[in-house]
Amino acid sequence: MEKLTYRFAGGSRALPHTAEVVGVVSSGNLEVLIESAPLNGDCAIEVNTAALGFGATWEAVMRDFHERWQLTDTRIAINDMGATPAVVSLRLDQAVETVLGGPP
């Protein structure tokens, strides 16, 4: 297992004070836990993945996610079993939309 952490500043969209889990931990899929948390305005993401050596790809996907959603005071935990970048992006979008109650 590899653990990757990312922290992004400058977000402006706050989430309601709820926590949600979307997805499942299985081959080619992942689980995303998302919650509002006091992080001085940052968005913190922790990835636990079975696919070793893809840090640059994960960073690009997390950076793209942050640029699209601009979340503030948000904690995200990802448990991955080899999902592709497209699946990761879809699950992250699903997690945010679930917390917000629908698409933006």
Side-chain angles (χ1 to χ4, degrees):
M1 292 295 284
E2 184 173 16
K3 181 177 182 177
L4 306 166
T5 58
Y6 304 95
R7 195 168 183 113
F8 300 99
S12 57
R13 182 179 297 178
L15 297 177
H17 294 283
T18 62
E20 293 286 344
V21 177
V22 298
V24 294
V25 182
S26 65
S27 181
N29 210 331
L30 70 154
E31 168 186 77
V32 175
L33 297 86
I34 187 168
E35 64 183 338
S36 176
L39 297 171
N40 294 320
D42 290 353
C43 175
I45 304 171
E46 180 180 299
V47 179
N48 291 295
T49 179
L52 306 179
F54 291 93
T57 302
W58 276 103
E59 183 173 348
V61 172
M62 296 303 106
R63 193 166 299 284
D64 174 69
F65 168 75
H66 178 69
E67 289 175 9
R68 288 185 291 111
W69 287 99
Q70 294 291 310
L71 298 178
T72 185
D73 286 326
T74 302
R75 179 179 299 124
I76 297 172
I78 298 172
N79 296 310
D80 171 60
M81 288 294 288
T84 65
V87 171
V88 173
S89 290
L90 288 171
R91 283 283 182 234
L92 286 167
D93 289 349
Q94 179 187 22
V96 175
E97 289 175 4
T98 299
V99 169
L100 294 176

